[in-house]
Amino acid sequence: MVFWHILHEAIIMIPTQLEDLIHQALKKAQKKGDLPKFPIPPITVTRPRRGQGDYSTALPLQIVKQVNNALKEQGGDKLAPIQIAEIVIKRLPPADFLDRAEAAKPGFINFHLSPAWLAQQAGVIAQQGPDYFKINLGQDKKVQVEFVSANPTGPLHFGGARNAAIGDVLARLLENSGYQVQREYYVNDRGAQMDTFARTLWRRYQQLFGLDVDIPPDGYPGAYMIGYAEKIREAHGDSLLHLPEEEAIPRFRDLGLQIVLDELKTDLALMDVHFDTWFSEQSLYDDGTFARVFAILSEQGDLYEKDGAVWFRASKYIGGDKDEVFVRSNGEPGYFASDITYHYHKFVVRGFDWVIDVWAVDHQNQAKRLPPALKAFGIDPNRLTIVLYDLVTLKRGGQEVKISKRSGDIITLREVLEEVGSDAARYFLLSHSNEARIDFDLDLAVAQSNENPVYYIQYAHARSASILRKAAEAGFAPNSAHLDLLTCPEELALLRKMLQLPEVVAFALEKLAPHHLPHYALDLAKTYTNFYGHCRVIATDPADKPLTEARLMLVQAAKLTLAYVLGLMGMTAPEKM
RNA sequence: GCCCGCGUAGCUCAGUGGAUAGAGCACUUGCCUCCGGAGCAAGGUGUCGCAGGUUCGAAUCCUGCCGCGGGUACCA
């Protein structure tokens, strides 16, 4: 199994393998005296923009100075970058996937994949299925992705959808790259907000029975609160009506919380987002974690009193520019205290190797102050990555629609998903870089037209399914025996594009930037459709059976590739549309 | 004020220090006896916000400026 992983990785991550080949070539050239001795720098192989081979490196340009400095010391003649390129190519060990390497001015090395090898990959992909694309970057490391984590005081509004999409796709990327992933929703179930929520709910409940009471002035005016109260009435009738306030508030807090959490679960399930854990903030105080954190900081002299509050000496740690209130003067721990305690729990109690928090950009200040604070516990701040994304503006026909209205009502995730569908919503939310603001136009997202690439991609998948069905009826089946017949440019272009998927996954993961997936998917669909347009798959002449079978294998491989990338984005891959 | 992000084609957006900066949409022109036309082929657009700097090489890195958004609480 271990061997298989190594072998497998070698097959798919071609740039990595090329980098290794170049490294070998450099060492050999040095040994043979073609090049002087100098420390070999990290080598990067990239995909050139166009027409310059499948992969390329600018290494000769990068090392020319070092090479010539070393030559000068030896009294040798200077080398031009392109000469270095030629030396490296001469010493390059052979590889089955490589057709040739060429030097290009002013000093690039361009690599061309072997067409015969490419054609065979159709069979390998079709046979291995999704495993073909799985890369083992994580080596079973335990990583937590914490996302959404909206306050449990009402339905999830549409702004949360972007968080859900980003977090979920990061989790999917990690899962498919050899990490052990836990998806967590942090439930802010304590503090003043929760109290206000409970008091509002209680009043709404009383109102249902005709009591003349108002919701608190700072309460939650949204109509959904009445819906929650009705649910409580259904379950408990009037039995809670005359509880004394000090009993009613905690009771309604618990009942309301349960209703909201159930609602969040069902709403998030509409976009196929599911959490492994719903972590209670209150539990940090109930199980003694907070007390422990307080004691540790206290012992270290990281806490001090000022103006009746307890402050955390953040300035003591590199990156912490000013001290933070830890326990407020009213005796309540502040948000920062909870946050530190929560992350202490993640790293020290639960032992995650890596934690990714997905936060909206309006939390940027916390994102800055939290990592340095981890050092107080000896936790390497690099084990925490906070992914910040910009906000979503909802529009309809170019006009902005407020997600949160003055009335307290909101545009919910559920409403939008019911209108545009999960696939279209996900695609659109994912297709922008995290740092970009999004204008989400409902009319545009819902339009089943050329303006919406979602359907184009899914259509490519459905069309593959259709071809395979139709071929089966005609008595054809995919077959690897004659893959060498796959030689036309459109076929090879499709194979090249499919081969790129693991590289895209690795890149998206490295940058924690899911938006590369939709762009790749569109590209793949386009390449596939181009193949479809140029290469008739199901032959009309029985003599063409071998080519038909080979192309069916390619179609099957393309279908798997499309399904895999759609799956990474949490989108469906329909057999029919 | 200070901190963070953004500014790329008419519009929406990609772009990893490399070669002639790319997609989709929109627009024009062809193509439906054809495996699914939600399609295909061809056509042309750019002071990469502005000005410097680093580099053999900058949309990309650095500095300053302009514009937009966000942050700068004993709120979360």
Side-chain angles (χ1 to χ4, degrees), chain A residues 161-170 172-173 271 422-434 438 440 513-519 565-571:
Chain A
R162 188 174 190 186
N163 193 313
I166 292 173
D168 183 58
V169 172
L170 289 177
R172 286 170 193 255
L173 280 166
M271 60 184 293
S422 171
D423 288 339
R426 271 187 180 257
Y427 185 86
F428 193 77
L429 291 170
L430 289 171
S431 62
H432 298 63
S433 65
N434 295 337
I438 293 187
F440 189 99
H515 73 275
H516 295 290
L517 292 176
H519 286 101
V565 68
L566 284 166
L568 281 174
M569 294 189 286
M571 293 167 59

mmCIF file of all heavy atoms in Angstrom, chain A residues 161-170 172-173 271 422-434 438 440 513-519 565-571, chain B residues 13-14:
data_model
loop_
_atom_site.group_PDB
_atom_site.id
_atom_site.type_symbol
_atom_site.label_atom_id
_atom_site.label_comp_id
_atom_site.label_asym_id
_atom_site.label_seq_id
_atom_site.Cartn_x
_atom_site.Cartn_y
_atom_site.Cartn_z
ATOM 1 N N ALA A 161 -23.428 31.479 3.095
ATOM 2 C CA ALA A 161 -23.293 30.465 2.041
ATOM 3 C C ALA A 161 -21.878 30.431 1.482
ATOM 4 O O ALA A 161 -21.351 29.372 1.154
ATOM 5 C CB ALA A 161 -24.291 30.742 0.921
ATOM 6 N N ARG A 162 -21.270 31.595 1.389
ATOM 7 C CA ARG A 162 -19.910 31.623 0.851
ATOM 8 C C ARG A 162 -18.967 30.923 1.803
ATOM 9 O O ARG A 162 -18.077 30.184 1.385
ATOM 10 C CB ARG A 162 -19.463 33.075 0.612
ATOM 11 C CG ARG A 162 -18.146 33.142 -0.122
ATOM 12 C CD ARG A 162 -17.729 34.539 -0.499
ATOM 13 N NE ARG A 162 -16.579 34.485 -1.392
ATOM 14 C CZ ARG A 162 -15.910 35.536 -1.817
ATOM 15 N NH1 ARG A 162 -16.287 36.763 -1.440
ATOM 16 N NH2 ARG A 162 -14.885 35.403 -2.620
ATOM 17 N N ASN A 163 -19.162 31.191 3.076
ATOM 18 C CA ASN A 163 -18.345 30.525 4.082
ATOM 19 C C ASN A 163 -18.519 29.011 3.979
ATOM 20 O O ASN A 163 -17.541 28.260 3.973
ATOM 21 C CB ASN A 163 -18.755 31.022 5.471
ATOM 22 C CG ASN A 163 -17.766 30.636 6.535
ATOM 23 O OD1 ASN A 163 -17.347 29.494 6.604
ATOM 24 N ND2 ASN A 163 -17.393 31.588 7.374
ATOM 25 N N ALA A 164 -19.785 28.587 3.863
ATOM 26 C CA ALA A 164 -20.069 27.155 3.776
ATOM 27 C C ALA A 164 -19.397 26.553 2.546
ATOM 28 O O ALA A 164 -18.805 25.473 2.616
ATOM 29 C CB ALA A 164 -21.576 26.922 3.729
ATOM 30 N N ALA A 165 -19.477 27.251 1.425
ATOM 31 C CA ALA A 165 -18.908 26.721 0.186
ATOM 32 C C ALA A 165 -17.389 26.620 0.289
ATOM 33 O O ALA A 165 -16.797 25.591 -0.039
ATOM 34 C CB ALA A 165 -19.311 27.601 -0.996
ATOM 35 N N ILE A 166 -16.761 27.673 0.768
ATOM 36 C CA ILE A 166 -15.300 27.670 0.860
ATOM 37 C C ILE A 166 -14.819 26.605 1.841
ATOM 38 O O ILE A 166 -13.953 25.790 1.530
ATOM 39 C CB ILE A 166 -14.775 29.061 1.278
ATOM 40 C CG1 ILE A 166 -15.017 30.075 0.155
ATOM 41 C CG2 ILE A 166 -13.288 28.998 1.627
ATOM 42 C CD1 ILE A 166 -14.695 31.513 0.542
ATOM 43 N N GLY A 167 -15.409 26.608 3.024
ATOM 44 C CA GLY A 167 -14.977 25.660 4.052
ATOM 45 C C GLY A 167 -15.168 24.223 3.615
ATOM 46 O O GLY A 167 -14.281 23.380 3.780
ATOM 47 N N ASP A 168 -16.325 23.956 3.044
ATOM 48 C CA ASP A 168 -16.620 22.586 2.641
ATOM 49 C C ASP A 168 -15.679 22.133 1.535
ATOM 50 O O ASP A 168 -15.208 20.989 1.539
ATOM 51 C CB ASP A 168 -18.077 22.486 2.172
ATOM 52 C CG ASP A 168 -18.451 21.070 1.804
ATOM 53 O OD1 ASP A 168 -18.321 20.183 2.679
ATOM 54 O OD2 ASP A 168 -18.843 20.831 0.650
ATOM 55 N N VAL A 169 -15.382 22.998 0.588
ATOM 56 C CA VAL A 169 -14.503 22.601 -0.509
ATOM 57 C C VAL A 169 -13.068 22.433 -0.015
ATOM 58 O O VAL A 169 -12.368 21.519 -0.447
ATOM 59 C CB VAL A 169 -14.592 23.594 -1.680
ATOM 60 C CG1 VAL A 169 -13.535 23.287 -2.721
ATOM 61 C CG2 VAL A 169 -15.969 23.517 -2.306
ATOM 62 N N LEU A 170 -12.646 23.282 0.907
ATOM 63 C CA LEU A 170 -11.320 23.068 1.500
ATOM 64 C C LEU A 170 -11.265 21.694 2.159
ATOM 65 O O LEU A 170 -10.293 20.953 2.003
ATOM 66 C CB LEU A 170 -11.000 24.169 2.515
ATOM 67 C CG LEU A 170 -10.728 25.556 1.939
ATOM 68 C CD1 LEU A 170 -10.491 26.553 3.068
ATOM 69 C CD2 LEU A 170 -9.528 25.538 0.998
ATOM 70 N N ARG A 172 -13.050 19.095 1.396
ATOM 71 C CA ARG A 172 -13.055 18.066 0.354
ATOM 72 C C ARG A 172 -11.677 17.945 -0.295
ATOM 73 O O ARG A 172 -11.204 16.843 -0.596
ATOM 74 C CB ARG A 172 -14.099 18.392 -0.717
ATOM 75 C CG ARG A 172 -15.523 18.147 -0.253
ATOM 76 C CD ARG A 172 -16.540 18.701 -1.242
ATOM 77 N NE ARG A 172 -17.874 18.735 -0.665
ATOM 78 C CZ ARG A 172 -18.840 17.873 -0.974
ATOM 79 N NH1 ARG A 172 -18.632 16.917 -1.845
ATOM 80 N NH2 ARG A 172 -20.030 17.965 -0.396
ATOM 81 N N LEU A 173 -11.034 19.075 -0.517
ATOM 82 C CA LEU A 173 -9.682 19.049 -1.087
ATOM 83 C C LEU A 173 -8.725 18.300 -0.161
ATOM 84 O O LEU A 173 -7.911 17.493 -0.608
ATOM 85 C CB LEU A 173 -9.172 20.483 -1.294
ATOM 86 C CG LEU A 173 -9.666 21.220 -2.534
ATOM 87 C CD1 LEU A 173 -9.353 22.711 -2.412
ATOM 88 C CD2 LEU A 173 -9.016 20.656 -3.785
ATOM 89 N N MET A 271 -27.255 22.313 0.720
ATOM 90 C CA MET A 271 -26.109 22.471 -0.179
ATOM 91 C C MET A 271 -25.045 21.415 0.105
ATOM 92 O O MET A 271 -23.877 21.586 -0.217
ATOM 93 C CB MET A 271 -25.552 23.913 -0.188
ATOM 94 C CG MET A 271 -25.063 24.472 1.108
ATOM 95 S SD MET A 271 -24.545 26.236 0.948
ATOM 96 C CE MET A 271 -23.087 26.137 -0.100
ATOM 97 N N SER A 422 -28.457 24.474 -5.441
ATOM 98 C CA SER A 422 -27.170 24.381 -4.756
ATOM 99 C C SER A 422 -25.997 24.415 -5.729
ATOM 100 O O SER A 422 -24.985 25.071 -5.482
ATOM 101 C CB SER A 422 -27.133 23.096 -3.930
ATOM 102 O OG SER A 422 -25.843 22.879 -3.416
ATOM 103 N N ASP A 423 -26.121 23.719 -6.857
ATOM 104 C CA ASP A 423 -25.004 23.638 -7.794
ATOM 105 C C ASP A 423 -24.618 25.009 -8.326
ATOM 106 O O ASP A 423 -23.441 25.373 -8.344
ATOM 107 C CB ASP A 423 -25.361 22.717 -8.967
ATOM 108 C CG ASP A 423 -25.387 21.252 -8.545
ATOM 109 O OD1 ASP A 423 -24.760 20.921 -7.523
ATOM 110 O OD2 ASP A 423 -26.026 20.447 -9.238
ATOM 111 N N ALA A 424 -25.614 25.760 -8.777
ATOM 112 C CA ALA A 424 -25.330 27.076 -9.339
ATOM 113 C C ALA A 424 -24.789 28.011 -8.259
ATOM 114 O O ALA A 424 -23.852 28.776 -8.493
ATOM 115 C CB ALA A 424 -26.580 27.666 -9.976
ATOM 116 N N ALA A 425 -25.366 27.940 -7.068
ATOM 117 C CA ALA A 425 -24.909 28.805 -5.978
ATOM 118 C C ALA A 425 -23.468 28.486 -5.623
ATOM 119 O O ALA A 425 -22.623 29.373 -5.499
ATOM 120 C CB ALA A 425 -25.802 28.629 -4.755
ATOM 121 N N ARG A 426 -23.181 27.216 -5.460
ATOM 122 C CA ARG A 426 -21.813 26.806 -5.141
ATOM 123 C C ARG A 426 -20.842 27.254 -6.224
ATOM 124 O O ARG A 426 -19.785 27.810 -5.922
ATOM 125 C CB ARG A 426 -21.727 25.280 -5.012
ATOM 126 C CG ARG A 426 -22.003 24.744 -3.631
ATOM 127 C CD ARG A 426 -21.709 23.249 -3.651
ATOM 128 N NE ARG A 426 -21.931 22.611 -2.374
ATOM 129 C CZ ARG A 426 -20.948 22.270 -1.535
ATOM 130 N NH1 ARG A 426 -19.690 22.537 -1.831
ATOM 131 N NH2 ARG A 426 -21.219 21.664 -0.403
ATOM 132 N N TYR A 427 -21.192 26.987 -7.459
ATOM 133 C CA TYR A 427 -20.280 27.327 -8.543
ATOM 134 C C TYR A 427 -19.961 28.813 -8.519
ATOM 135 O O TYR A 427 -18.808 29.227 -8.598
ATOM 136 C CB TYR A 427 -20.862 26.937 -9.902
ATOM 137 C CG TYR A 427 -19.873 27.186 -11.021
ATOM 138 C CD1 TYR A 427 -18.938 26.217 -11.352
ATOM 139 C CD2 TYR A 427 -19.829 28.400 -11.688
ATOM 140 C CE1 TYR A 427 -17.994 26.449 -12.336
ATOM 141 C CE2 TYR A 427 -18.886 28.648 -12.672
ATOM 142 C CZ TYR A 427 -17.971 27.662 -12.989
ATOM 143 O OH TYR A 427 -17.026 27.913 -13.949
ATOM 144 N N PHE A 428 -20.995 29.604 -8.395
ATOM 145 C CA PHE A 428 -20.782 31.045 -8.456
ATOM 146 C C PHE A 428 -19.978 31.532 -7.247
ATOM 147 O O PHE A 428 -19.053 32.329 -7.384
ATOM 148 C CB PHE A 428 -22.125 31.768 -8.534
ATOM 149 C CG PHE A 428 -21.969 33.209 -8.905
ATOM 150 C CD1 PHE A 428 -21.714 33.558 -10.216
ATOM 151 C CD2 PHE A 428 -22.039 34.203 -7.943
ATOM 152 C CE1 PHE A 428 -21.535 34.881 -10.578
ATOM 153 C CE2 PHE A 428 -21.860 35.531 -8.289
ATOM 154 C CZ PHE A 428 -21.611 35.875 -9.602
ATOM 155 N N LEU A 429 -20.318 31.031 -6.074
ATOM 156 C CA LEU A 429 -19.620 31.468 -4.864
ATOM 157 C C LEU A 429 -18.157 31.025 -4.879
ATOM 158 O O LEU A 429 -17.289 31.707 -4.347
ATOM 159 C CB LEU A 429 -20.306 30.900 -3.619
ATOM 160 C CG LEU A 429 -21.682 31.481 -3.318
ATOM 161 C CD1 LEU A 429 -22.365 30.686 -2.229
ATOM 162 C CD2 LEU A 429 -21.577 32.950 -2.934
ATOM 163 N N LEU A 430 -17.910 29.883 -5.504
ATOM 164 C CA LEU A 430 -16.543 29.350 -5.513
ATOM 165 C C LEU A 430 -15.677 29.970 -6.591
ATOM 166 O O LEU A 430 -14.457 29.921 -6.508
ATOM 167 C CB LEU A 430 -16.581 27.829 -5.721
ATOM 168 C CG LEU A 430 -17.096 27.007 -4.555
ATOM 169 C CD1 LEU A 430 -17.281 25.561 -4.986
ATOM 170 C CD2 LEU A 430 -16.144 27.093 -3.370
ATOM 171 N N SER A 431 -16.282 30.545 -7.614
ATOM 172 C CA SER A 431 -15.486 30.922 -8.774
ATOM 173 C C SER A 431 -14.722 32.233 -8.586
ATOM 174 O O SER A 431 -13.972 32.630 -9.459
ATOM 175 C CB SER A 431 -16.366 30.988 -10.023
ATOM 176 O OG SER A 431 -17.354 31.969 -9.843
ATOM 177 N N HIS A 432 -14.913 32.877 -7.456
ATOM 178 C CA HIS A 432 -14.149 34.097 -7.177
ATOM 179 C C HIS A 432 -13.069 33.800 -6.144
ATOM 180 O O HIS A 432 -13.266 32.978 -5.257
ATOM 181 C CB HIS A 432 -15.067 35.183 -6.622
ATOM 182 C CG HIS A 432 -16.151 35.604 -7.566
ATOM 183 N ND1 HIS A 432 -17.134 34.744 -7.990
ATOM 184 C CD2 HIS A 432 -16.401 36.784 -8.168
ATOM 185 C CE1 HIS A 432 -17.946 35.388 -8.816
ATOM 186 N NE2 HIS A 432 -17.524 36.623 -8.945
ATOM 187 N N SER A 433 -11.955 34.501 -6.258
ATOM 188 C CA SER A 433 -10.911 34.306 -5.261
ATOM 189 C C SER A 433 -11.434 34.774 -3.901
ATOM 190 O O SER A 433 -12.304 35.636 -3.828
ATOM 191 C CB SER A 433 -9.651 35.074 -5.646
ATOM 192 O OG SER A 433 -9.897 36.454 -5.628
ATOM 193 N N ASN A 434 -10.897 34.198 -2.840
ATOM 194 C CA ASN A 434 -11.397 34.497 -1.499
ATOM 195 C C ASN A 434 -11.397 35.992 -1.208
ATOM 196 O O ASN A 434 -12.292 36.504 -0.534
ATOM 197 C CB ASN A 434 -10.549 33.791 -0.442
ATOM 198 C CG ASN A 434 -10.658 32.280 -0.542
ATOM 199 O OD1 ASN A 434 -11.630 31.749 -1.082
ATOM 200 N ND2 ASN A 434 -9.659 31.585 -0.033
ATOM 201 N N ILE A 438 -17.976 39.655 -3.831
ATOM 202 C CA ILE A 438 -18.855 39.017 -4.809
ATOM 203 C C ILE A 438 -20.175 39.766 -4.897
ATOM 204 O O ILE A 438 -20.801 40.066 -3.884
ATOM 205 C CB ILE A 438 -19.154 37.555 -4.423
ATOM 206 C CG1 ILE A 438 -17.885 36.714 -4.509
ATOM 207 C CG2 ILE A 438 -20.237 36.969 -5.319
ATOM 208 C CD1 ILE A 438 -18.125 35.234 -4.321
ATOM 209 N N PHE A 440 -23.569 38.767 -6.079
ATOM 210 C CA PHE A 440 -24.307 37.565 -6.471
ATOM 211 C C PHE A 440 -25.645 38.001 -7.048
ATOM 212 O O PHE A 440 -26.520 38.461 -6.326
ATOM 213 C CB PHE A 440 -24.511 36.663 -5.247
ATOM 214 C CG PHE A 440 -25.066 35.304 -5.572
ATOM 215 C CD1 PHE A 440 -24.219 34.211 -5.675
ATOM 216 C CD2 PHE A 440 -26.421 35.113 -5.773
ATOM 217 C CE1 PHE A 440 -24.724 32.955 -5.984
ATOM 218 C CE2 PHE A 440 -26.925 33.864 -6.088
ATOM 219 C CZ PHE A 440 -26.075 32.779 -6.184
ATOM 220 N N ALA A 513 -7.185 28.049 -1.949
ATOM 221 C CA ALA A 513 -7.943 28.893 -2.872
ATOM 222 C C ALA A 513 -8.833 28.028 -3.761
ATOM 223 O O ALA A 513 -8.417 27.609 -4.841
ATOM 224 C CB ALA A 513 -6.986 29.714 -3.725
ATOM 225 N N PRO A 514 -10.041 27.754 -3.290
ATOM 226 C CA PRO A 514 -10.931 26.860 -4.045
ATOM 227 C C PRO A 514 -11.293 27.373 -5.428
ATOM 228 O O PRO A 514 -11.714 26.597 -6.267
ATOM 229 C CB PRO A 514 -12.198 26.796 -3.173
ATOM 230 C CG PRO A 514 -11.794 27.267 -1.829
ATOM 231 C CD PRO A 514 -10.637 28.204 -2.029
ATOM 232 N N HIS A 515 -11.128 28.668 -5.678
ATOM 233 C CA HIS A 515 -11.634 29.198 -6.942
ATOM 234 C C HIS A 515 -10.915 28.650 -8.165
ATOM 235 O O HIS A 515 -11.400 28.801 -9.283
ATOM 236 C CB HIS A 515 -11.569 30.727 -6.951
ATOM 237 C CG HIS A 515 -10.198 31.286 -7.100
ATOM 238 N ND1 HIS A 515 -9.342 31.481 -6.037
ATOM 239 C CD2 HIS A 515 -9.499 31.667 -8.196
ATOM 240 C CE1 HIS A 515 -8.203 31.969 -6.488
ATOM 241 N NE2 HIS A 515 -8.267 32.099 -7.785
ATOM 242 N N HIS A 516 -9.785 27.984 -7.970
ATOM 243 C CA HIS A 516 -9.119 27.382 -9.121
ATOM 244 C C HIS A 516 -9.900 26.189 -9.666
ATOM 245 O O HIS A 516 -9.767 25.846 -10.833
ATOM 246 C CB HIS A 516 -7.703 26.958 -8.740
ATOM 247 C CG HIS A 516 -6.822 28.125 -8.403
ATOM 248 N ND1 HIS A 516 -6.388 29.017 -9.357
ATOM 249 C CD2 HIS A 516 -6.340 28.581 -7.230
ATOM 250 C CE1 HIS A 516 -5.660 29.968 -8.779
ATOM 251 N NE2 HIS A 516 -5.628 29.714 -7.488
ATOM 252 N N LEU A 517 -10.691 25.569 -8.819
ATOM 253 C CA LEU A 517 -11.446 24.389 -9.267
ATOM 254 C C LEU A 517 -12.500 24.726 -10.315
ATOM 255 O O LEU A 517 -12.540 24.090 -11.367
ATOM 256 C CB LEU A 517 -12.082 23.676 -8.062
ATOM 257 C CG LEU A 517 -11.104 23.006 -7.105
ATOM 258 C CD1 LEU A 517 -11.841 22.435 -5.907
ATOM 259 C CD2 LEU A 517 -10.330 21.906 -7.819
ATOM 260 N N PRO A 518 -13.386 25.694 -10.060
ATOM 261 C CA PRO A 518 -14.365 26.009 -11.109
ATOM 262 C C PRO A 518 -13.726 26.470 -12.415
ATOM 263 O O PRO A 518 -14.241 26.154 -13.489
ATOM 264 C CB PRO A 518 -15.223 27.120 -10.500
ATOM 265 C CG PRO A 518 -14.651 27.441 -9.186
ATOM 266 C CD PRO A 518 -13.666 26.395 -8.814
ATOM 267 N N HIS A 519 -12.636 27.190 -12.323
ATOM 268 C CA HIS A 519 -11.995 27.624 -13.556
ATOM 269 C C HIS A 519 -11.430 26.441 -14.323
ATOM 270 O O HIS A 519 -11.546 26.358 -15.540
ATOM 271 C CB HIS A 519 -10.911 28.666 -13.261
ATOM 272 C CG HIS A 519 -11.477 29.991 -12.902
ATOM 273 N ND1 HIS A 519 -11.564 30.445 -11.591
ATOM 274 C CD2 HIS A 519 -12.058 30.954 -13.658
ATOM 275 C CE1 HIS A 519 -12.157 31.626 -11.586
ATOM 276 N NE2 HIS A 519 -12.454 31.964 -12.813
ATOM 277 N N VAL A 565 -14.000 16.445 -10.351
ATOM 278 C CA VAL A 565 -13.838 17.865 -10.044
ATOM 279 C C VAL A 565 -15.167 18.464 -9.600
ATOM 280 O O VAL A 565 -15.206 19.308 -8.696
ATOM 281 C CB VAL A 565 -13.203 18.642 -11.223
ATOM 282 C CG1 VAL A 565 -14.109 18.744 -12.414
ATOM 283 C CG2 VAL A 565 -12.772 20.036 -10.769
ATOM 284 N N LEU A 566 -16.263 18.009 -10.178
ATOM 285 C CA LEU A 566 -17.573 18.465 -9.697
ATOM 286 C C LEU A 566 -17.761 18.042 -8.239
ATOM 287 O O LEU A 566 -18.260 18.807 -7.418
ATOM 288 C CB LEU A 566 -18.691 17.897 -10.577
ATOM 289 C CG LEU A 566 -18.874 18.576 -11.941
ATOM 290 C CD1 LEU A 566 -19.756 17.722 -12.866
ATOM 291 C CD2 LEU A 566 -19.464 19.974 -11.795
ATOM 292 N N GLY A 567 -17.329 16.821 -7.939
ATOM 293 C CA GLY A 567 -17.438 16.322 -6.568
ATOM 294 C C GLY A 567 -16.609 17.141 -5.591
ATOM 295 O O GLY A 567 -17.046 17.403 -4.475
ATOM 296 N N LEU A 568 -15.437 17.544 -6.019
ATOM 297 C CA LEU A 568 -14.598 18.384 -5.149
ATOM 298 C C LEU A 568 -15.293 19.698 -4.834
ATOM 299 O O LEU A 568 -15.119 20.277 -3.775
ATOM 300 C CB LEU A 568 -13.252 18.677 -5.820
ATOM 301 C CG LEU A 568 -12.204 17.571 -5.778
ATOM 302 C CD1 LEU A 568 -10.991 17.983 -6.611
ATOM 303 C CD2 LEU A 568 -11.783 17.260 -4.352
ATOM 304 N N MET A 569 -16.083 20.179 -5.777
ATOM 305 C CA MET A 569 -16.789 21.431 -5.557
ATOM 306 C C MET A 569 -18.129 21.208 -4.855
ATOM 307 O O MET A 569 -18.863 22.150 -4.600
ATOM 308 C CB MET A 569 -17.019 22.141 -6.900
ATOM 309 C CG MET A 569 -15.723 22.586 -7.551
ATOM 310 S SD MET A 569 -15.990 23.641 -8.990
ATOM 311 C CE MET A 569 -16.537 22.471 -10.210
ATOM 312 N N GLY A 570 -18.436 19.949 -4.580
ATOM 313 C CA GLY A 570 -19.699 19.646 -3.914
ATOM 314 C C GLY A 570 -20.893 19.773 -4.835
ATOM 315 O O GLY A 570 -22.016 19.989 -4.384
ATOM 316 N N MET A 571 -20.629 19.627 -6.124
ATOM 317 C CA MET A 571 -21.709 19.739 -7.102
ATOM 318 C C MET A 571 -22.075 18.369 -7.646
ATOM 319 O O MET A 571 -21.269 17.441 -7.633
ATOM 320 C CB MET A 571 -21.264 20.658 -8.251
ATOM 321 C CG MET A 571 -21.080 22.098 -7.809
ATOM 322 S SD MET A 571 -20.203 23.095 -9.038
ATOM 323 C CE MET A 571 -21.271 22.933 -10.458
ATOM 324 P P C B 13 -17.043 40.640 -10.265
ATOM 325 O OP1 C B 13 -17.583 40.501 -8.909
ATOM 326 O OP2 C B 13 -16.254 41.828 -10.648
ATOM 327 O "O5'" C B 13 -16.217 39.317 -10.579
ATOM 328 C "C5'" C B 13 -14.817 39.305 -10.604
ATOM 329 C "C4'" C B 13 -14.367 38.054 -11.296
ATOM 330 O "O4'" C B 13 -14.494 38.214 -12.730
ATOM 331 C "C3'" C B 13 -12.907 37.684 -11.102
ATOM 332 O "O3'" C B 13 -12.738 37.006 -9.875
ATOM 333 C "C2'" C B 13 -12.636 36.792 -12.305
ATOM 334 O "O2'" C B 13 -13.139 35.496 -12.099
ATOM 335 C "C1'" C B 13 -13.480 37.481 -13.393
ATOM 336 N N1 C B 13 -12.687 38.411 -14.220
ATOM 337 C C2 C B 13 -11.849 37.884 -15.218
ATOM 338 O O2 C B 13 -11.802 36.656 -15.348
ATOM 339 N N3 C B 13 -11.122 38.713 -15.986
ATOM 340 C C4 C B 13 -11.212 40.036 -15.804
ATOM 341 N N4 C B 13 -10.483 40.822 -16.583
ATOM 342 C C5 C B 13 -12.049 40.600 -14.797
ATOM 343 C C6 C B 13 -12.768 39.762 -14.042
ATOM 344 P P A B 14 -11.319 36.847 -9.257
ATOM 345 O OP1 A B 14 -11.508 36.372 -7.893
ATOM 346 O OP2 A B 14 -10.491 38.036 -9.524
ATOM 347 O "O5'" A B 14 -10.769 35.629 -10.120
ATOM 348 C "C5'" A B 14 -9.496 35.707 -10.663
ATOM 349 C "C4'" A B 14 -9.230 34.465 -11.453
ATOM 350 O "O4'" A B 14 -9.674 34.680 -12.813
ATOM 351 C "C3'" A B 14 -7.735 34.146 -11.572
ATOM 352 O "O3'" A B 14 -7.287 33.396 -10.484
ATOM 353 C "C2'" A B 14 -7.673 33.404 -12.901
ATOM 354 O "O2'" A B 14 -8.128 32.079 -12.760
ATOM 355 C "C1'" A B 14 -8.688 34.198 -13.713
ATOM 356 N N9 A B 14 -8.074 35.360 -14.366
ATOM 357 C C8 A B 14 -8.339 36.681 -14.146
ATOM 358 N N7 A B 14 -7.634 37.496 -14.898
ATOM 359 C C5 A B 14 -6.851 36.651 -15.659
ATOM 360 C C6 A B 14 -5.882 36.883 -16.653
ATOM 361 N N6 A B 14 -5.551 38.099 -17.055
ATOM 362 N N1 A B 14 -5.284 35.810 -17.204
ATOM 363 C C2 A B 14 -5.627 34.592 -16.791
ATOM 364 N N3 A B 14 -6.520 34.239 -15.874
ATOM 365 C C4 A B 14 -7.103 35.333 -15.341
#
